[in-house]
C-alpha cells in the first residue's frame, strides 16, 4: 500500500471520517476516495454506523461510554433500564428506541441511558404521539422536563385519531413518547445485557 492510499485508509478506518470528508480534506472527488477504499479492500460502513461516525466527526458529539464500575444503586438502575428496554424497546435496526406513556418509566430509562450507558444528551431525540384533545406545546414541555431532552431535540409530533371520543383520555393523559439514540453499538450492548439476564434466570 502506498503512502497516499495508507493515509486515506487511516482517515476512514481510524479517524472515522466519511469518504466525503476525506475528499474535502485532500481535495479529491468522493468517487476517487471510494475507489481507493475499494482497491484496498476496506469494508464500507452500514448506514447506521455512518450516522454514528458522522455525529462524532462532523458534529463533534461524544460517543457513549459505559460506566465501568457500578455501585449497588447503579446495578439496580442498570437492571431497571434493561428490563424496560426488554419489554418496550426496539430490538432491531441501528437505533436504541424506547416508547412508553408512563412518565416514571420514561424518567428511569432516560436516567439509565445517561448514568449507566454514558450517552451524550445532545444525541438524544424524542417524538411525541398524541391525540386531538392534547396540547402539543404542553406535552413537549412536560416530556422535556421528564426526560431532560431539550425541546429543540424533539421531532415533529405524530397525531393519532381517536377510535371513540375520549376513549384514550385516561390511559394516555400525556400521550406517548419515543426516546431514540442512534448507535448500533449501544443497541448491541443492551441486547447482550438482556441475553445475560435471561440466561441467569434459566
Amino acid at each position: 500500500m502506498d503512502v497516499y492510499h495508507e493515509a486515506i485508509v487511516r482517515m476512514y478506518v481510524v479517524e472515522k471520517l466519511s469518504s466525503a470528508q476525506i475528499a474535502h480534506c485532500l481535495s479529491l472527488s468522493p468517487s476517487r476516495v471510494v475507489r481507493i477504499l475499494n482497491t484496498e479492500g476496506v469494508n464500507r460502513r452500514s448506514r447506521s454506523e455512518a450516522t454514528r461516525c458522522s455525529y462524532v466527526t462532523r458534529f463533534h458529539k461524544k460517543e457513549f461510554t459505559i460506566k465501568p464500575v457500578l455501585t449497588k444503586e447503579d446495578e439496580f438502575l442498570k437492571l431497571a433500564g434493561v428490563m424496560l428496554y426488554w419489554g418496550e424497546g426496539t430490538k432491531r435496526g441501528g437505533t436504541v428506541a424506547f416508547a412508553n406513556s408512563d412518565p416514571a418509566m420514561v424518567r428511569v430509562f432516560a436516567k439509565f441511558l445517561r448514568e449507566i450507558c454514558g450517552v451524550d444528551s445532545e444525541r438524544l431525540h424524542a417524538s411525541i404521539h398524541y391525540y386531538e384533545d392534547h396540547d402539543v406545546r404542553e406535552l413537549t414541555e412536560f416530556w422535556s422536563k421528564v426526560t431532560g431532552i431539550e425541546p429543540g431535540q424533539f421531532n415533529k409530533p405524530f397525531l393519532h385519531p381517536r377510535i371513540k371520543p375520549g376513549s384514550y383520555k385516561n390511559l394516555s393523559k400525556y400521550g406517548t413518547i419515543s426516546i431514540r439514540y442512534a448507535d448500533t453499538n449501544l443497541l448491541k450492548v443492551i441486547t447482550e445485557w438482556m441475553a445475560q439476564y435471561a440466561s441467569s434466570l434459566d
Side-chain angles (χ1 to χ4, degrees):
M1 185 187 305
D2 66 35
V3 176
Y4 197 62
H5 284 206
E6 183 178 357
I8 290 175
V9 170
R10 175 178 51 76
M11 294 171 78
Y12 186 83
V13 175
V14 179
E15 299 179 23
K16 305 298 184 181
L17 299 180
S18 67
S19 55
Q21 288 173 303
I22 295 171
H24 178 74
C25 291
L26 301 179
S27 299
L28 300 173
S29 67
S31 60
R32 185 177 178 190
V33 173
V34 170
R35 285 197 299 272
I36 291 173
L37 292 173
N38 290 338
T39 297
E40 300 301 338
V42 176
N43 293 326
R44 305 301 302 281
R45 301 183 187 113
S46 65
R47 181 175 296 181
S48 60
E49 183 70 7
T51 299
R52 185 181 69 83
C53 291
S54 179
Y55 272 117
V56 176
T57 60
R58 274 186 73 191
F59 306 115
H60 307 292
K61 302 290 179 70
K62 298 177 182 177
E63 295 192 83
F64 73 91
T65 304
I66 302 297
K67 192 172 184 179
V69 179
L70 303 183
T71 64
K72 185 176 181 180
E73 290 74 17
D74 291 334
E75 292 286 359
F76 281 127
L77 178 57
K78 178 184 175 182
L79 177 60
V82 173
M83 292 300 105
L84 284 172
Y85 199 79
W86 197 351
E88 302 290 343
T90 300
K91 314 304 188 297
R92 297 180 179 179
T95 298
V96 174
F98 172 82
N100 205 280
S101 60
D102 186 323
M105 290 185 180
V106 173
R107 184 179 291 108
V108 168
F109 188 74
K111 185 176 182 180
F112 160 76
L113 288 178
R114 290 190 177 91
E115 297 187 11
I116 304 302
C117 301
V119 306
D120 181 1
S121 291
E122 293 185 2
R123 287 182 57 187
L124 288 173
H125 292 276
S127 297
I128 294 172
H129 293 242
Y130 71 104
Y131 298 97
E132 293 173 354
D133 53 354
H134 282 134
D135 184 310
V136 175
R137 182 183 59 80
E138 290 182 357
L139 287 182
T140 302
E141 291 179 357
F142 173 79
W143 285 118
S144 178
K145 290 179 181 178
V146 169
T147 62
I149 300 174
E150 293 296 326
Q153 293 167 233
F154 279 64
N155 296 321
K156 183 178 179 180
F158 184 84
L159 173 63
H160 287 271
R162 291 190 185 277
I163 299 174
K164 297 178 182 179
S167 59
Y168 295 98
K169 190 173 184 62
N170 293 326
L171 292 177
S172 297
K173 180 179 180 181
Y174 304 107
T176 299
I177 188 170
S178 172
I179 300 176
R180 295 186 308 284
Y181 181 85
D183 197 310
T184 303
N185 291 339
L186 182 56
L187 180 59
K188 289 179 180 178
V189 169
I190 295 176
T191 301
E192 289 172 359
W193 285 342
M194 289 190 296
Q196 290 170 6
Y197 284 128
S199 63
S200 69
L201 297 173
D202 289 341

